[in-house]
Amino acid sequence: RHAICDFGRSRMTGIRLGLAGLYLALALPAIFRYSPTADEPAHLVAGAGHLLKGDFTLEPVNPPLARLWACLPYLALRPDLPLTSVHWRERHPGAAGLEFLYRNRIPWRTLVIWPRVMTALLGAALVWWIAGWAETRAGRTGGVIAGALAATCPNLLGNGGLATTDLAAAASALLAGWAWTAWLERPTLRRAGLVGVAIGAALVTKYANLALL
């Protein structure tokens, strides 16, 4: 009996990995094909400022967590920040972002592609999580269907190829919902702490997640 159960878990793990891989296969081509969107330069220069200089004042419209995640490759790339630019000093993130991308010693494609890859990896993890959570609610078939729908969802695919905050907001909100559900089913101190961490992470990802409160 245990061998059968272990085989079932192993097979579902493989399916979830396959669904996450499908998501990446669908999302990655757009990462390399399209030029920056209107808001990506502002997110990227703000994220670089967060990560490399500890500066959180350039673009305060969004909290920093999603941009910190997306810009982690900049720790290795060490791009130039337009610190002496009038756009940086006067806190114009859009113009500072364009200067960051197109007047940098590192090619703009490199500065855009790596944060987009980080967002796509987060999207793949989200697909993995959706399939697993759905399996606990609706069985293996439900998990596969939910994971397949997530892996091919146009909204998740579209935002998974951009260095913006929307996909991270969705992922953090889902995590908060999962933690809250787990606490409702078995209210323990440990699960209460998990709810606090998950909701806190959602709030420092996007202000729209204030709706969780």
Side-chain angles (χ1 to χ4, degrees):
R1 180 178 178 180
H2 291 299
I4 294 174
C5 292
D6 290 343
F7 172 75
R9 282 195 294 268
S10 176
R11 184 166 61 180
M12 188 57 193
T13 299
I15 292 172
R16 290 167 66 190
L17 284 172
L19 291 169
L22 172 63
Y23 175 87
L24 286 176
L26 294 173
L28 285 176
I31 289 174
F32 299 95
R33 183 180 302 133
Y34 298 120
S35 59
T37 59
D39 54 346
E40 279 184 295
H43 284 299
L44 292 174
V45 71
H50 299 343
L51 198 64
L52 302 177
K53 291 296 180 180
D55 188 321
F56 295 89
T57 63
L58 180 60
E59 205 273 338
V61 175
N62 291 284
L65 186 58
R67 293 188 293 216
L68 286 169
W69 166 259
C71 292
L72 277 176
Y74 289 172
L75 290 175
L77 295 171
R78 309 302 296 185
D80 302 320
L81 286 169
L83 299 176
T84 59
S85 165
V86 64
H87 304 305
W88 180 282
R89 293 198 306 270
E90 296 185 1
R91 297 299 185 256
H92 297 306
L98 293 174
E99 192 168 355
F100 172 69
L101 289 183
Y102 299 115
R103 295 184 180 178
N104 211 301
R105 61 184 174 80
I106 298 173
W108 69 267
R109 288 185 179 275
T110 302
L111 294 174
V112 171
I113 285 171
W114 279 111
R116 285 180 171 181
V117 169
M118 296 298 290
T119 305
L121 290 174
L122 186 61
L126 177 59
V127 170
W128 163 277
W129 192 266
I130 288 172
W133 192 12
E135 183 191 10
T136 66
R137 298 293 163 181
R140 185 181 301 163
T141 301
V144 171
I145 292 173
L149 289 173
T152 56
C153 173
N155 283 329
L156 293 182
L157 287 169
N159 286 287
L162 301 176
T164 57
T165 59
D166 296 314
L167 188 132
S172 61
L174 181 72
L175 178 62
W178 169 82
W180 176 249
T181 302
W183 181 83
L184 288 176
E185 292 176 341
R186 188 155 60 90
T188 64
L189 187 61
R190 180 179 179 183
R191 293 191 178 195
L194 181 60
V195 171
V197 170
I199 292 180
L203 295 180
V204 295
T205 298
K206 200 171 182 72
Y207 290 130
N209 282 338
L210 284 168
L212 295 170
L213 299 177

